[in-house]
């Protein structure tokens, strides 16, 4: 529920009219990199997968996304002029600190930017540069507003890089982010629809699947993490096109499959996958965006700027996780076996 306010905070912190308030040293370091390495864990990693598209598409900088827990032991072949962008809600994640130590030992001149929610956190102190998420304290273990804030701040950073490099853009970023904030408000106003969907389909299941293509696939990854983390339903996300390469074997009578359809360009393919799993007995639920919707879809989201759609569609999946956890009588804020730095 605080994501609307968080988005508006980010807009007011980072935009001054048309201008973007980001320190020019940060902009120059990122702009001059020949490759960006986005590194994070869990939800922060999932946000990075979405952000990669922004840096590549808008700023024209090749970008890779890595799990911090793998990176320190399995450092890829690095480019000549890399720039490292750490994503961490807490700024305290040990796996990221291990990456920092490792890379500093490889080359003391490497530069590190952290996007974090916590000013003066360990990573904020140890990295060269910080961009704050301005999401407000995120106390529940399941990360929600930090995810949408990370994507939003990456969008803002990619936008300022785009401008600095004189690359074209067809929309007004601060306006489109404000549109998303209002659209999230609309989703929250209608959240009883999500509760009904959960009550009918998810309270008695041991497993569930999310499917999607392109950005929807990345949202599916985050959606699956959220649902399994707080409801203990074993949830997997699949790139919809991969179903036929093995995973469709998991579909049984009654298996819940939630499909995300934002982009019209891939919607018809994902529709085909929905039919395939339906034919094998799956209970399908469809969350579509205007422009990709069809009669009978369970939730239809208002049309927003396509690349930013994950910030909106993920909120529906957060509500799915929330109502499933609540409906099963679990502690939504404190799932078992997990702890969190705030
Ligand atoms: O504080 P961080 O963003 O570095 O934490 C990374 C992950 O531990 C975190 O995102 C985790 O996956 C979430 N609790 C999932 O909801």
């Amino acid at each position: 529920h605080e994501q609307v306010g968080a988005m508006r905070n980010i807009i007011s912190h980072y935009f001054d009219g048309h201008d973007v308030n980001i320190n020019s040293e940060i902009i120059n370091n990122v702009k001059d990199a020949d490759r960006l390495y986005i590194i994070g864990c869990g939800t922060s990693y999932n946000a990075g997968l979405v952000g990669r598209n922004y840096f590549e598409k808008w700023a024209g900088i090749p970008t890779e996304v890595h799990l911090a827990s793998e990176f320190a032991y399995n450092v890829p072949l690095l480019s000549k002029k890399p720039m490292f962008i750490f994503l961490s809600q807490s700024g305290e994640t040990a796996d990221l600190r291990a990456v920092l130590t490792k890379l500093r030992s490889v080359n003391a001149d490497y530069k590190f930017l952290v996007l974090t929610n916590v000013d003066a956190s360990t990573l904020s102190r140890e990295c060269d540069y910080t961009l704050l998420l301005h999401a407000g304290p995120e106390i529940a273990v399941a990360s929600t507003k930090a995810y949408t804030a990370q994507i939003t701040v990456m969008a803002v950073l990619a936008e300022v890089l785009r401008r600095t490099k004189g690359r074209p853009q067809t929309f007004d970023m601060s306006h489109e982010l404000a549109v998303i904030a209002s659209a999230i408000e609309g989703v929250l106003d209608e959240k009883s629809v999500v509760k009904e969907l959960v009550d009918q389909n998810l309270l008695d299941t041991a497993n569930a699947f999310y499917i999607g293509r392109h950005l929807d696939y990345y949202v599916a990854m985050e959606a699956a993490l959220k649902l399994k983390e707080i409801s203990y339903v074993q949830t997997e996300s699949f790139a919809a096109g991969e179903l036929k390469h093995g995973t469709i074997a998991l579909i049984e009578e009654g298996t819940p499959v939630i499909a995300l359809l934002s982009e019209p360009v891939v919607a018809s393919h994902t529709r085909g996958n929905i039919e395939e799993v339906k034919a094998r007995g799956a209970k399908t639920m469809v969350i579509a965006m205007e422009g990709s919707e069809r009669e009978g879809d369970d939730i239809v989201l208002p049309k927003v700027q396509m690349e930013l759609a994950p910030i909106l569609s993920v909120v529906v999946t957060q509500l799915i996780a929330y109502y499933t956890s609540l409906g099963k009588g679990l502690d939504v804020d404190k799932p078992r076996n997990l702890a969190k730095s705030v």
Side-chain angles (χ1 to χ4, degrees):
H1 287 80
E2 290 174 5
Q3 290 178 104
V4 179
M7 296 274 306
R8 290 182 178 150
N9 256 344
I10 293 170
I11 297 168
S12 68
H13 270 96
Y14 283 107
F15 285 96
D16 185 0
H18 179 69
D19 296 339
V20 178
N21 288 323
I22 291 183
N23 175 320
S24 58
E25 210 180 313
I26 298 181
I27 299 170
N28 290 335
N29 267 287
V30 183
K31 174 179 72 71
D32 294 342
D34 64 356
R35 186 167 285 262
L36 305 179
Y37 294 85
I38 299 178
I39 307 171
C41 301
T43 289
S44 295
Y45 168 79
N46 290 339
L49 294 171
V50 177
R52 177 172 69 87
N53 285 261
Y54 302 166
F55 294 114
E56 294 204 329
K57 185 167 180 186
W58 297 333
I61 309 175
T63 305
E64 296 179 15
V65 189
H66 291 271
L67 287 166
S69 55
E70 285 290 313
F71 197 99
Y73 318 100
N74 188 11
V75 179
L77 187 61
L78 297 172
S79 66
K80 284 205 172 77
K81 209 165 179 332
M83 173 82 194
F84 301 94
I85 301 180
F86 287 0
L87 299 181
S88 177
Q89 175 279 134
S90 60
E92 301 296 340
T93 300
D95 290 320
L96 276 166
R97 293 192 67 203
V99 174
L100 186 63
T101 309
K102 170 79 186 184
L103 288 173
R104 284 235 157 99
S105 75
V106 172
N107 187 335
D109 292 333
Y110 283 162
K111 295 285 183 221
F112 299 85
L113 163 68
V114 63
L115 270 57
T116 180
N117 207 22
V118 186
D119 197 9
S121 56
T122 306
L123 283 166
S124 176
R125 283 183 279 111
E126 292 178 351
C127 288
D128 300 278
Y129 309 107
T130 299
L131 287 177
L132 287 175
L133 301 178
H134 296 294
E138 186 185 70
I139 292 158
V141 167
S143 184
T144 49
K145 62 182 181 173
Y147 173 85
T148 43
Q150 283 165 339
I151 295 177
T152 307
V153 175
M154 283 188 283
V156 176
L157 178 59
E159 166 64 9
V160 75
L161 291 165
R162 174 197 72 72
R163 291 183 191 180
T164 314
K165 294 179 123 198
R167 288 171 60 87
Q169 183 62 294
T170 52
F171 64 91
D172 176 337
M173 180 66 77
S174 67
H175 172 76
E176 293 303 331
L177 290 173
V179 167
I180 300 226
S182 302
I184 294 175
E185 225 163 17
V187 166
L188 295 171
D189 287 345
E190 301 288 325
K191 64 187 179 185
S192 58
V193 179
V194 183
K195 182 177 184 307
E196 254 171 57
L197 202 63
V198 166
D199 289 347
Q200 286 164 16
N201 298 291
L202 289 166
L203 295 184
D204 296 322
T205 188
N207 57 9
F209 301 110
Y210 271 99
I211 60 170
R213 278 185 154 78
H214 188 210
L215 293 176
D216 285 331
Y217 171 48
Y218 301 143
V219 176
M221 291 171 74
E222 171 57 11
L225 174 58
K226 212 90 309 171
L227 186 55
K228 68 182 118 182
E229 184 180 15
I230 63 170
S231 76
Y232 316 144
V233 172
Q234 188 190 347
T235 315
E236 304 305 332
S237 52
F238 299 125
E242 284 298 296
L243 280 167
K244 62 177 175 297
H245 297 292
T247 41
I248 200 164
L250 292 167
I251 304 295
E252 293 174 346
E253 197 60 40
T255 306
V257 176
I258 307 167
L260 303 173
L261 282 103
S262 301
E263 291 175 75
V265 68
V266 291
S268 67
H269 296 298
T270 306
R271 292 277 174 199
N273 302 125
I274 295 171
E275 291 313 315
E276 282 163 12
V277 294
K278 234 185 199 166
R280 275 120 190 133
K283 237 181 344 185
T284 57
M285 287 155 265
V286 178
I287 302 165
M289 193 153 282
E290 275 171 10
S292 301
E293 88 282 19
R294 272 197 200 162
E295 211 180 316
D297 285 349
D298 297 276
I299 292 176
V300 178
L301 297 168
K303 195 169 184 162
V304 295
Q305 180 61 42
M306 196 45 62
E307 296 88 344
L308 302 173
I311 307 172
L312 175 62
S313 53
V314 78
V315 176
V316 178
T317 72
Q318 293 166 351
L319 286 167
I320 289 176
Y322 169 77
Y323 282 122
T324 310
S325 176
L326 206 64
K328 293 174 80 175
L330 300 170
D331 185 337
V332 180
D333 291 330
K334 292 197 188 93
R336 68 188 175 206
N337 308 336
L338 287 160
K340 165 165 184 162
S341 291
V342 178

